[in-house]
Amino acid sequence: MPGTPNYTGLAGYSHDIPARTGVLLVNLGTPEAPTAAAVRPYLAEFLGDPRVIEYPRLLWMAILHGVILRVRPKRSAHAYARIWTEQGSPLRVGSEALAAALQSELDRRLPGPVTVALAMRYGRPAVTETIARLQREGVRRLLVLPLYPQYSATSTGSVFDAVADTIKTLRWPPELRQVNDYHAEPAYIAALADSVRSHWERHGRGEKLLMSFHGIPERYLHAGDPYFCQCHATARLLREALGLTDEEAPISFQSRVGRERWLHPYTDETVRTLGATGIRRIDVISPGFAVDCLETLEEIAMQNADFFREAGGETLSYIPCLNAEPAHVQALADLVTRHTQGWPETAAGYDAAKAATQLATSREHARQVRSDA
């Protein structure tokens, strides 16, 4: 009937599929290749998200498609080419490794069937197609875990939008829970601190530990975005864990674009100032990124290392993201365990044999109903 809503269902639903809990990890995303042709649609999706760019839509679309997407894809493709590996995009490869490691850890510590899946907010695998796959595999309870330790409407908020847009199209949505942030989780802070100590043991210690977070326009902070405050909370807790002062471990914000004022101090200006004031070596960590990506491998470890040397410094030593390190996996597994409390598959009393018996009984009842119809 014209005008009737169309909800996606499970055609031929099978009673043979046991109910499962799903954990949906979501990272930012990546183009499929380090080429302008592949970068262009990725940037169009990313920069076209109203959560990311809060400008009047008609004006922004004209700027995006009339100017930015004519110029930026080639420049971004060059940056991606500098970090691309034989396996592909570092963010994609690293996120897949993290998802696999988390699956193994949850298989070890949880009694029932739990499926970990990875989606990208922009590009593929898309949130919509990943949730559809989980539903076909029997996921009836879904925990969404964005791989952003600090909440921002531009990142975590956008993931929640994508999930909501998908869920509202389903005829039988799963029970849903979401992790807002984990910026002050003790296990996350401990993992960061351990990564710094390990780096110092292997490579020596710089005169400063710069903590560089991704930036957002300052007006988002004034509109109520908690990101700035959560970044400072993470920085404070990491300093305390390492026994450092504010001066020894300053904070900065990277990746600004455009002419408006973003969160500051800016990372590029900070490393130049440090180099110009006689600092010979600095260590840089990016605690807002779960997995290494363009912003860490190219922007920090390459671009800003050049800025530091050009200003008079000698060595910018980049400390990698937590990636699939065991301490990171444990921290995320702790989050999942806590946020899925009360669901059957994660309860201590889950009985696999009893669940199988109940499934068999349900299947037999369904067959009887069909035979009587």
Side-chain angles (χ1 to χ4, degrees):
M1 180 181 297
T4 301
N6 182 26
Y7 297 102
T8 301
L10 289 172
Y13 172 74
S14 173
H15 290 272
D16 294 327
I17 302 175
R20 306 179 68 86
T21 286
V23 177
L24 181 64
L25 300 182
V26 186
N27 213 334
L28 180 72
T30 176
E32 293 296 310
T35 64
V39 170
R40 186 172 290 106
Y42 169 74
L43 286 180
E45 184 181 9
F46 173 39
L47 297 177
D49 186 345
R51 283 282 196 178
V52 175
I53 306 295
E54 294 184 29
Y55 281 149
R57 300 312 295 163
L58 289 179
L59 173 61
W60 176 243
M61 287 297 102
I63 296 172
L64 177 61
H65 291 276
V67 180
I68 294 175
L69 292 179
R70 296 176 182 270
V71 177
R72 188 165 175 179
K74 184 177 181 180
R75 184 169 67 247
S76 294
H78 174 73
Y80 275 109
R82 299 182 73 189
I83 65 165
W84 213 260
T85 70
E86 292 183 0
Q87 292 75 34
S89 162
L91 181 139
R92 175 75 172 266
V93 173
S95 298
E96 289 173 346
L98 178 58
L102 181 59
Q103 179 72 73
S104 296
E105 176 60 20
L106 294 179
D107 288 344
R108 185 190 67 81
R109 70 162 70 181
L110 296 178
V114 176
T115 298
V116 177
L118 173 69
M120 299 295 176
R121 177 60 186 91
Y122 312 105
R124 300 188 67 183
V127 169
T128 297
E129 65 186 45
T130 305
I131 291 179
R133 175 173 65 80
L134 290 173
Q135 190 179 44
R136 290 193 300 271
E137 294 174 359
V139 168
R140 297 300 322 136
R141 287 161 284 277
L142 182 64
L143 175 68
V144 180
L145 175 50
L147 292 173
Y148 305 119
Q150 299 80 21
Y151 176 92
S152 173
T154 63
S155 53
T156 309
S158 181
V159 169
F160 292 167
D161 282 354
V163 171
D165 288 344
T166 300
I167 292 296
K168 70 184 182 184
T169 68
L170 301 179
R171 186 166 296 279
W172 189 20
E175 185 177 348
L176 185 66
R177 295 179 186 175
Q178 301 178 145
V179 178
N180 231 15
D181 65 81
Y182 53 97
H183 73 281
E185 287 291 321
Y188 158 69
I189 299 298
L192 289 174
D194 285 346
S195 74
V196 174
R197 294 189 193 100
S198 295
H199 188 85
W200 285 344
E201 290 175 2
R202 293 192 304 270
H203 305 286
R205 180 169 173 173
E207 298 165 71
K208 302 280 187 180
L209 173 66
L210 178 63
M211 295 175 283
S212 179
F213 294 83
H214 199 289
I216 60 174
E218 193 178 66
R219 60 189 169 91
Y220 295 3
L221 163 65
H222 299 312
D225 198 301
Y227 179 73
F228 180 77
C229 297
Q230 291 191 0
C231 290
H232 274 274
T234 298
R236 174 179 56 80
L237 292 169
L238 182 54
R239 288 190 198 103
E240 292 175 357
L242 293 169
L244 300 176
T245 66
D246 291 7
E247 184 179 353
E248 292 171 321
I251 186 174
S252 64
F253 295 90
Q254 64 183 84
S255 308
R256 75 186 188 278
V257 295
R259 298 180 179 179
E260 74 172 300
R261 184 177 175 85
W262 280 42
L263 298 180
H264 56 281
Y266 301 136
T267 296
D268 57 348
E269 293 181 356
T270 300
V271 300
R272 286 186 172 106
T273 298
L274 291 173
T277 53
I279 302 296
R280 298 171 59 190
R281 170 179 164 159
I282 59 173
D283 302 318
V284 182
I285 188 172
S286 296
F289 297 89
V291 175
D292 276 310
C293 56
L294 184 72
E295 287 79 4
T296 62
L297 299 174
E298 198 272 342
E299 184 179 352
I300 295 296
M302 295 180 183
Q303 281 191 39
N304 278 275
D306 290 341
F307 297 156
F308 182 63
R309 287 190 295 269
E310 291 166 1
E314 293 182 5
T315 303
L316 183 154
S317 184
Y318 170 64
I319 301 173
C321 291
L322 295 176
N323 296 307
E325 289 295 318
H328 192 202
V329 175
Q330 291 292 327
L332 295 183
D334 289 348
L335 276 175
V336 171
T337 301
R338 186 169 77 246
H339 282 271
T340 57
Q341 286 184 15
W343 283 352
E345 294 78 24
T346 63
Y350 179 83
D351 187 329
K354 182 179 179 180
T357 299
Q358 291 174 338
L359 182 63
T361 300
S362 176
R363 181 169 60 245
E364 187 57 36
H365 286 167
R367 287 172 178 168
Q368 185 62 45
V369 168
R370 285 197 295 268
S371 64
D372 292 342

